[in-house]
Amino acid sequence: MPPVPKQRPRHKTFLREWREFRELSQEKAASRLEIDRSTLSKIERGLVPYNQALLEAAADAYRCEPADLIMRDPNNQMWSIFDTLRALSEPQQEHIKAII
């Protein structure tokens, strides 16, 4: 029988950072996600895999996009500038692009 391959390391997510950014305890966030607090802790630490359903529920709970949870640290100031620009009307965005 061939050896069982080692499990690949999980990539870094920003689930914990988004939860803390929204000032939610693990208990409160787990309740919103309808999972156990200990399961959320393991997911945040990369010990248990997440799935699309969890990402979508967490995005709703943390008021962000699912992709944000795996690629964007909410504490990075660059993103707050991006969010501000994205919220502007298209003519305002075009004006800022022309300035830049």
Side-chain angles (χ1 to χ4, degrees), residues 50-66:
Y50 57 85
N51 59 34
Q52 186 66 29
L54 177 94
L55 285 180
E56 291 176 11
D60 286 342
Y62 303 160
R63 299 183 324 268
C64 64
E65 296 297 321

Side-chain angles (χ1 to χ4, degrees), residues 81-94 96:
I81 295 168
F82 177 76
D83 286 339
T84 301
L85 294 174
R86 190 170 60 179
L88 297 175
S89 68
E90 190 171 326
Q92 291 172 315
Q93 289 179 15
E94 292 302 320
I96 291 172

